[in-house]
Amino acid sequence: QVQPVESGGGSVQEGGSLKLSCVASGNIFFNRCGMGWFRQLPGKERELVAWITNVGERTYADSMNGRFTISQQIAKDTVYLHMNNLKIDDTGVYFCAVYFFDGQCRPNYWGQGTQVTVSS
């Protein structure tokens, strides 16, 4: 059973920074093709923030505008999201996803989510 576990969420003032971490437990070595971050803002659908492949190719949602950076430690099954210049509109629940290859590389396992709250 693959279980991503997020940490690092919390409350921060607008303009501040947070670093989210996600460790994926379970046997993921052979099937994992990437890891990533999604978020769900209040009243909205879950959306992609960024994801990174096993070989380090990064994809970001356009709306992140260069404020977020995704990184990973493959050997530790860990992915990070560095968030800078946070805005009130970034408030929401951030979810980690483990991507598996089953014909295409796509998110298969989800964490429980970690709350990020940005205030003025």
Side-chain angles (χ1 to χ4, degrees):
Q1 180 70 19
V2 177
Q3 181 59 59
V5 178
E6 305 97 338
S7 61
S11 297
V12 65
Q13 287 194 315
E14 196 168 22
S17 299
L18 280 175
K19 177 184 174 182
L20 305 183
S21 302
C22 171
V23 181
S25 63
N27 186 7
I28 67 172
F29 178 78
F30 292 104
N31 298 88
R32 181 188 62 194
C33 54
M35 293 181 72
W37 292 94
F38 289 71
R39 70 182 184 182
Q40 188 161 15
L41 308 182
K44 296 192 176 181
E45 302 271 325
R46 189 176 298 189
E47 62 178 0
L48 173 71
V49 175
W51 74 285
I52 184 168
T53 68
N54 284 355
V55 295
E57 296 167 332
R58 295 168 171 84
T59 300
Y60 293 94
D62 291 341
S63 59
M64 301 306 126
N65 292 326
R67 298 181 295 121
F68 295 0
T69 302
I70 190 169
S71 62
Q72 67 183 343
Q73 286 186 288
I74 286 278
K76 296 185 177 182
D77 296 329
T78 300
V79 67
Y80 305 98
L81 185 68
H82 307 258
M83 305 186 293
N84 296 314
N85 191 21
L86 282 160
K87 304 180 185 305
I88 292 175
D89 289 346
D90 293 317
T91 295
V93 181
Y94 286 68
F95 298 89
C96 176
V98 177
Y99 286 59
F100 269 35
F101 187 82
D102 59 358
Q104 58 179 305
C105 187
R106 55 186 175 183
N108 261 266
Y109 295 94
W110 297 89
Q112 296 288 328
T114 185
Q115 176 70 41
V116 170
T117 302
V118 184
S119 59
S120 58

